[in-house]
Amino acid sequence: MKNKKKTYFQVLISIFFLIFLFYFVKPRKIIDALQYAEVFWILLAILLLPVNMCFQFFRWKILVKNCNPNITNAEILKSIFYSYSYSIFTPARLGDIGKAFHISHDSKREVVALAVLEKVFAFSSILIFGFVSLAIYKNIWFIFGFFLVITLLLFSKNIIRKTSFLSKHFSNPQYLPIMSLLGVSVSFVFVYILQFYLLLHAFQLVIFSHAFFRISLVVFLNSVPITMSGLGVREILSIYFFKSLGISAAQAASASLLIFSINILIPTFIGFILHFLPHKKVGKNSQKKS
């Protein structure tokens, strides 16, 4: 019941922010902006979606292989698409953790712990870009936030091993590939920012170095769980931060809605389709050799 109430609340807040957005930027203006956008740059952004998905696949794979070496690539990929169908309705996309229930392993508790760890690295990577951007545009002291996040991630294996509450959820914490997780997670965020830049470029010629840190700030601030998948909030933030780049409110909102459609709606649609396809129950006896 509590989860349902939270979901309803997120839906209402999302609707409120969209109404607020469309009050200042008329839908007609957004449609007009999309009509004049250069399709080439939008297609490039769409072509980066498989790259985006590959980074998510490898990040999840190096974690689940740690507890089940026989897990298949198909099962890993399907679990990611399933998680999209859950996370679109949850704050901060916490539904991503649902991918753990589509992975073959005797201990679901451990797989859930790995999914939470993956979420921590994904969120921390956003913080890394955010703190660097804040240090450049606001105050150099924000750079300490960057170093704090990096330090916690690099020593996360030791933190897990020396904390009894955490260590009991991991069978082999000493084998956790921390550097690989960090590298893949940072690469994933970079590709997302690059996609966003290409979509902005479709509406207005912008210099990458000028747009990069502003996009990082949008992603950073949008990571605060307010609406479903940041819908509405991301668009308002985009209007605010991209104004200095010479991008109109309608163009900024259009680019933001496109990044949502490409990176969230498309994988979510695939996830929903998988729910209707026949599949074997994941459990103790469903492990396969790769």
Side-chain angles (χ1 to χ4, degrees), residues 16 89 116 129 164 198 245 256:
F16 170 78
F89 299 113
V116 172
F129 283 92
S164 58
L198 292 173
L245 296 174
S256 183

Side-chain angles (χ1 to χ4, degrees), residues 63-83:
L63 279 172
V64 295
K65 284 285 186 179
N66 189 60
C67 66
N68 179 9
N70 295 322
I71 196 75
T72 65
N73 290 335
E75 190 172 329
I76 295 170
L77 186 59
K78 284 181 180 178
S79 72
I80 293 173
F81 283 118
Y82 276 123
S83 71

